[in-house]
């Protein structure tokens, strides 16, 4: 067989080649197959009008066959359309189901969803729910302040004087290496019994509180024992709160000393590695303990900072970043003679998870060299804080300097930028073991309302990088009642297994005074918190009256979603909140940006928009109409939105008052009726309180039937709306079987099944045996075919889902099918709604054969066209399937049917995996459009650590000169080395510890990551097109045309002669990604607003407590003793940090 000339010369010295003459035309320039100068090489497509292609397609000459003409292919397309429409009219039963609904009009009412009333009611209900938690919070905070004020400090308090339930006691008793086992616990520890409580998803004891103390804090210190002593009185307040509001979940007091007391008591969830949990680093504590922050971190990287000291600084900066929340802004710079940012961020950026990740990675690249220049570092920091042309917190302003020491006080810089008002606090950190005079560092902090800290070794990092929060809390304490305002947090993962929660927080102040007439105490005691599970808030929203594609969502002042059907984090990190922006939860566009801004500003609004939505299985994109309505939730930082498609304005509410009819319809749910009436799947909804849930639908149906034999649909323990609608839809779909399906022969039309799914939760599949191969979700609202059918007109084809990494479909026993579904639109008066979806399941093999016949030149059903040697014929999809490729591709670019038998097992795959050359041509001709987005909630397998062949991680290696120098052994550096080795033995690698592993549950096997998603959908081309894929010796002709009233594209193409044009393969599968470039994103930050309150200044603040340190070389005797203890495996008894606020808390 020969086809019309379609090749270009093999050699071409210049940019333009001369092709062989096409029939009826002179020589034509052959386009450069390399495509545009930029981007990947891909074939250039020549879109030719039908009249120009005609000579080419019908050229006489070497063969009796030619590529089919456009009108022929349009004829085939019409035959395909007619066949599909005919089958759906006969078996789909759309019209018949409409009549059934109208015949049963007396059994249901049509109710209206009024968006404004709905959203205001839900917002009011959420406000009431949260207000009850607020009242409990205020009782707790007031009680805590009074208990602490009445408490008398005891210097001689002992461990045996305190009785409490240590939440980690059980885990420590099981661990022979724990602190208590080694030292012998002297506390009067309580041993409690627990009962399982589904509300907490945990075992609890309602008679006691539990106490959790961080691993790196000594439980027997005087400060901790006094804290345990006075907080014990909170137990009765916790219990009384629960008596007044039984729906309360965790009530927690997080102390500034690190002690956590929570109610009800439950054992601590022990991680598989070291427990690094510290309440002061939890998102809810950080938000409640201080107002928003603008922070600049400057790090000394002069030549004197090297080895262990530089590692300590890097770790300290990372720990400091973990004390910041999304309400804060930050930048990090290094300095020696000059200052420069460590990352691509040139100004303050929001301290969100992704920006902090950029900082942490950049910090690891810092290198020590040059001389110390404090002036350069501080001038850079002040310039950053004075930049008013960027978005920032505009509240607390601070500079955090990490250095190994120096003599310059840079007083001139402070005089220029910060004095006399001192609006910027300066915190200085002396890092590492050295003999430098620390007086200049103390002076900088004390003269700028900050604090001086020392970080001599690894163990001091976590404590001393978070204690600055106490200084920031001073203005809040001094503000008194004005600062006692409840704040609601971002969404985060509860550490005790409750799932996703938000927490109401209220700071607790120290109300003691040193004596009559003395200044008021300015220490924050801690933060009180009460959790609210997201599921409890969701229960206040309409469940099933909004339809499959309607939903409620809520966002905070950062634009992060509190509620949204797409908020589904696959894995969570205890140390970070779950921050999914509204514009990432949905496909971003200008209309949604406008809606988001209005909601953040606390406005009301309503807007109808055209927008793109992803299908539930994330394979398809649909352009739809949606109505957005939103209102603020008063007394909170949240705003609530409602999204409704136009067809969900109305919904059906069953009115089955006739109990005889109830029983009649209920009998069609019994398995005994399935053989004659088809198999019924019921949506696994909460129909009644006592209904046992099950992932197996057969078992769930059995549980449902057993319960219904004990109660009636009108029982108070049941959701009457759900039950009545379920039973009504059972009867209505049975009537569809009786009127349409039962008397039809499915085999005549090569159908494996017919089905109907309804808003009421019924999916009926006929015949019964077809249910064995039914893989769709039994909850119609969670079935992709159901939701897409509602959003689209016409017949929606859904091929079986195939992953490119999995083996092809196994075509055995004719069980592989293609779903075709369409929505049933019901008009009752002027009210239109779509209460059901009906469809058929095509037998893949049989319809592939039928497809070849319909796209052929047959004049009779059983006789293919024959073309003699002297006659001229057009190729068709049946006779010429060795030379002509004919396919149906759906709107997502997935193969539905093919005339190539070897491609039948590839049905459901993205077409680029089947024919990359042709799919690229369709994309380049605008038959398809591509949409790329990012999934920030994905979970990925942990990456194995690389082996760079370097020294052990986290270990400072002294030189030979160090070992030969006696001064080195008598300096603190030796002890620091031994201490690091000790931490390395215990924690494996402190510097490289994975927070998710350290604090995650034992079951954690995956980590959070970003996945790039790509979906394809129909472009702007609706007409029929002929085109040439010009690719040198591999040029191909093809024709493409949309099939009316379907989501299918009919494509006819020459089969490729070779594979020289495979370079431009389109990808559709998810791929691992770092997400959009953060350095570019921060240049156009999304709109947000910070909290409405700010406490960063109080004229009465006493700044005299600003840190006191001492620098002295340890004695040789002490070092020798410590080293002997290390060798004997007996770690020294921990002591409270010298430079912490512990001493100040004895009030």
């Amino acid at each position: 067989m020969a086809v019309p000339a379609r090749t270009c010369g093999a050699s071409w010295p210049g940019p333009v080649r001369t092709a062989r003459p096409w029939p009826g035309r002179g020589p034509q320039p052959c386009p450069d197959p390399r495509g545009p100068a930029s981007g990947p090489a891909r074939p250039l497509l020549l879109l030719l009008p039908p009249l120009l292609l005609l000579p080419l397609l019908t050229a006489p000459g070497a063969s009796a066959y030619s590529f089919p003409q456009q009108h022929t292919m349009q004829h085939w397309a019409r035959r395909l359309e007619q066949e599909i429409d005919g089958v759906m009219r006969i078996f789909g039963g759309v019209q018949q189901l409409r009549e059934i609904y109208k015949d049963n009009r007396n059994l249901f009412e049509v109710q209206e969803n009024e968006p404004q009333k709905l959203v205001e009611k839900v917002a009011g209900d959420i406000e009431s729910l949260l207000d009850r938690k607020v009242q409990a919070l205020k009782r707790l905070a007031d009680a805590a302040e009074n208990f602490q004020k009445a408490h008398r400090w005891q210097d001689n308090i002992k461990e045996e004087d305190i009785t409490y339930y240590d939440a980690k006691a059980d885990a420590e008793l099981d661990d022979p290496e724990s602190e208590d086992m080694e030292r012998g616990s002297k506390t009067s520890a309580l041993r409690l019994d627990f009962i399982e409580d589904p509300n907490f998803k945990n075992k609890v004891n309602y008679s006691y509180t539990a106490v959790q103390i961080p691993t790196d804090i000594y439980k027997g210190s005087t400060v901790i024992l006094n804290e345990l002593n006075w907080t014990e009185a909170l137990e009765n307040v916790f219990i009384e709160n629960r008596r007044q509001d039984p729906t309360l979940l965790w009530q927690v007091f997080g102390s500034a000393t690190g002690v956590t007391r929570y109610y009800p008591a439950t054992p601590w969830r022990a991680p598989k590695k070291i427990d690094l949990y510290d309440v002061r680093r939890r998102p809810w504590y950080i938000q409640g303990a201080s107002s928003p922050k603008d922070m600049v971190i400057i790090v000394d990287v002069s030549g004197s900072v090297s080895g262990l000291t530089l590692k300590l600084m890097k770790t300290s900066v990372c720990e400091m970043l973990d004390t910041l929340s999304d309400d804060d802004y930050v930048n990090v710079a290094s300095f020696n003679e000059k200052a420069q940012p460590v990352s691509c961020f040139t100004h303050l950026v929001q301290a969100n998870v992704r920006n902090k990740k950029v900082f942490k990675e950049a910090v690891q690249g810092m290198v020590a060299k040059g001389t110390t220049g404090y002036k350069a570092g501080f001038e850079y920091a002040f310039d950053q804080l004075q930049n008013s042309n960027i978005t920032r917190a505009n509240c607390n302003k601070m500079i955090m300097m990490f250095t190994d020491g120096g003599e310059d006080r840079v007083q001139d810089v402070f005089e220029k930028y910060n004095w006399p008002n001192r609006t910027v606090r300066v915190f200085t950190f002396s890092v590492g073991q050295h003999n430098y005079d620390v007086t200049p560092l103390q002076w900088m902090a004390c003269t700028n309302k900050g604090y001086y800290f020392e970080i001599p070794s690894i163990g001091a990092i976590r404590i001393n990088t978070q204690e600055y929060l106490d200084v920031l809390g001073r203005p809040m304490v001094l503000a008194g009642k004005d600062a006692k305002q409840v704040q609601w947090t971002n969404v985060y993962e509860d550490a005790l297994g409750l799932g996703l929660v938000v927490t109401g927080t209220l700071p607790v102040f120290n109300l003691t005074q040193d004596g009559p007439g003395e200044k008021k105490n300015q220490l924050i005691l801690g933060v009180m918190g009460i959790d609210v599970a997201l599921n409890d808030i969701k229960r206040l929203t309409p469940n099933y009256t909004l339809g499959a594609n309607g939903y409620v969502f809520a966002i905070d002042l950062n634009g992060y979603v509190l509620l949204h059907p797409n908020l589904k984090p696959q894995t969570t990190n205890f140390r970070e909140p779950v921050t999914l922006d509204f514009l990432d939860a949905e496909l971003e566009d200008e209309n949604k940006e406008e809606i988001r801004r209005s909601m953040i500003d606390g406005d009301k609004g309503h807007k109808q928009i055209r927008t793109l939505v992803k299908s539930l299985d994330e394979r398809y994109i649909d352009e739809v109409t949606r109505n957005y309505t939103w209102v603020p939730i008063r007394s909170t930082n949240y705003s609530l939105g409602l999204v409704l498609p136009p067809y969900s304005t109305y919904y059906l509410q069953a009115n089955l008052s006739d109990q005889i009819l109830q029983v009649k319809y209920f009998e069609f749910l019994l398995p005994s009726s399935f053989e004659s009436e088809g198999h019924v799947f019921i949506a696994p909804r909460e129909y009644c309180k006592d209904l046992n849930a099950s992932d197996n639908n057969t078992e769930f149906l059995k549980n449902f039937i057993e319960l219904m034999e004990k109660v009636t649909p009108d029982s108070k323990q049941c959701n009457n709306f759900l039950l009545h609608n379920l039973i009504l839809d059972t009867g209505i779909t049975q009537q569809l079987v009786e009127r349409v399906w039962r008397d039809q022969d499915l085999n005549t039309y090569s159908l494996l099944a017919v089905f109907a799914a309804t808003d009421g939760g019924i999916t009926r599949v006929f015949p019964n045996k077809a249910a064995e191969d039914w893989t769709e979700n039994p909850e119609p609202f969670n079935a992709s075919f159901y939701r897409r059918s509602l959003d689209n007109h016409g017949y929606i084809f859904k091929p079986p889902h195939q992953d490119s990494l999995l083996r092809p479909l196994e075509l055995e026993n004719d069980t592989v099918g293609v779903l075709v579904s369409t929505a049933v639109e019901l008009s009752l008066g002027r009210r239109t709604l779509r209460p059901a979806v009906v469809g058929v399941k095509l037998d893949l093999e049989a319809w592939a054969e039928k497809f070849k016949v319909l796209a052929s030149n047959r004049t009779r059903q059983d006789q293919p066209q024959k073309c003699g040697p002297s006659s001229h014929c057009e190729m068709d999809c049946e006779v010429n399937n060795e030379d002509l490729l004919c396919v149906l591709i759906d709107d997502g670019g997935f193969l539905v049917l093919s005339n190539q038998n070897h491609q039948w097992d590839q049905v459901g795959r993205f077409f680029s995996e089947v024919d990359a050359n042709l799919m690229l041509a369709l994309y380049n001709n605008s038959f398809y459009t591509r949409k790329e987005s990012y999934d920030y909630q994905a979970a990925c397998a942990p990456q194995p650590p690389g082996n760079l062949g370097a020294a052990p991680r986290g270990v400072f290696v002294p030189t030979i000169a160090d070992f030969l120098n006696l001064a080195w052994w008598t300096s603190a550096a030796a002890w620091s080395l031994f201490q690091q080795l000790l931490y390395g033995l215990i924690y494996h690698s402190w510097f490289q510890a994975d927070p998710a592993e350290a604090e995650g549950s034992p079951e954690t096997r995956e980590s959070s990551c970003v996945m790039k998603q790509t979906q394809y959908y129909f472009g702007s081309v609706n007409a029929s097109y002929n085109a040439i894929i010009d690719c040198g010796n591999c040029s191909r002709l093809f024709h493409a045309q949309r099939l009316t009233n379907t989501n299918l594209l009919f494509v006819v193409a020459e089969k490729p002669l070779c594979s020289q044009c495979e370079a431009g393969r389109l990808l559709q599968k998810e791929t691992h990604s770092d997400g959009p470039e953060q350095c570019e994103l921060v240049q156009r930050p999304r709109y947000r607003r910070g909290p409405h309150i700010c406490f960063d200044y109080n004229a009465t603040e006493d700044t005299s407590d600003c840190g006191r340190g001492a620098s002295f070389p340890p004695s040789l005797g002490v070092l020798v003793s410590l080293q002997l203890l290390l060798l004997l495996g007996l770690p020294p008894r921990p002591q409270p940090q010298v430079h912490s606020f512990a001493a100040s808390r004895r009030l």
Side-chain angles (χ1 to χ4, degrees), residues 1020-1058:
S1020 57
V1021 176
N1022 288 313
S1024 175
Y1025 273 96
N1026 291 320
I1028 294 178
I1029 309 171
D1030 185 71
C1031 196
N1033 293 329
C1034 298
S1035 297
R1036 300 171 66 186
L1037 303 176
F1038 78 90
H1039 167 92
Q1041 178 174 340
R1042 294 265 294 273
L1043 294 189
T1044 304
N1045 208 36
T1046 73
N1047 66 326
L1048 296 179
L1049 181 70
F1050 175 42
V1051 182
V1052 179
E1054 292 178 309
K1055 293 182 71 173
L1057 295 179
C1058 51

Side-chain angles (χ1 to χ4, degrees), residues 77 363 451 489 521 543 649 777 922 929 953 1019:
V363 162
Y451 208 92
T489 68
N521 197 295
N543 276 334
T649 303
N777 197 308
L922 296 172
T929 300
R953 294 180 299 167

Side-chain angles (χ1 to χ4, degrees), residues 83-132:
E83 185 72 12
I84 294 167
D85 185 64
V87 169
M88 289 299 291
R89 286 181 181 275
I90 295 171
F91 291 94
V94 173
Q95 184 59 40
Q96 294 90 333
L97 192 54
R98 288 196 191 105
E99 294 172 359
I100 292 170
Y101 273 110
K102 291 178 180 178
D103 291 344
N104 291 274
R105 183 65 184 83
N106 61 315
L107 299 181
F108 60 83
E109 298 174 357
V110 179
Q111 302 291 348
E112 182 178 1
N113 283 316
E114 300 180 66
Q116 194 65 39
K117 289 183 179 179
L118 265 178
V119 75
E120 287 178 353
K121 179 184 183 303
V122 175
D125 291 343
I126 295 175
E127 180 189 356
S128 299
L129 171 70
L130 299 184
D131 184 65
R132 293 196 297 271

Side-chain angles (χ1 to χ4, degrees), residues 150 163 194 216 230 372 395 679 717 766 813 855 865 922 1101 1143:
T163 301
F194 302 95
D216 53 354
W230 76 259
T372 304
C395 195
H679 192 99
Q717 65 162 302
F766 185 89
N813 302 321
Q865 180 199 41
L922 296 172
E1101 179 184 346

Side-chain angles (χ1 to χ4, degrees), residues 371-410:
T371 58
T372 304
Y374 286 160
K375 183 174 183 178
F378 277 108
E379 285 184 338
Y380 178 89
F382 279 114
D383 287 340
Q384 290 279 298
L385 293 172
Q386 289 183 352
N387 184 358
S388 58
N389 296 324
I390 58 170
T391 305
R392 55 183 186 175
N394 284 320
C395 195
N396 285 294
K397 299 178 179 62
M398 66 203 68
I399 299 172
M400 324 298 274
M401 183 180 73
F402 293 88
T403 180
D404 64 341
E407 298 180 358
D408 190 1
R409 301 191 178 199
V410 289

Side-chain angles (χ1 to χ4, degrees), residues 6 18 49 235 288-289 340 382 407 491 575 723 737 781 810 819 1118 1136:
R6 54 185 176 127
T18 300
E235 200 164 86
Q340 60 183 5
F382 279 114
E407 298 180 358
V491 177
R575 303 182 71 180
L723 270 180
V737 176
F781 285 14
E810 296 181 359
L819 289 190
V1118 170

Side-chain angles (χ1 to χ4, degrees), residues 1073-1112:
S1073 171
D1074 292 329
E1077 180 56 54
Q1078 286 298 117
C1079 303
E1080 297 176 4
L1081 287 182
V1082 297
Q1083 302 303 323
R1084 49 182 192 281
R1086 287 171 172 167
Y1087 181 72
R1088 67 174 294 277
R1089 291 180 63 182
H1092 303 301
I1093 56 174
C1094 173
F1095 298 96
D1096 61 343
Y1097 173 79
N1098 192 288
T1100 63
E1101 179 184 346
D1102 180 6
T1103 61
S1104 60
D1105 182 12
C1106 54
R1108 295 290 182 267
S1111 181
F1112 59 89

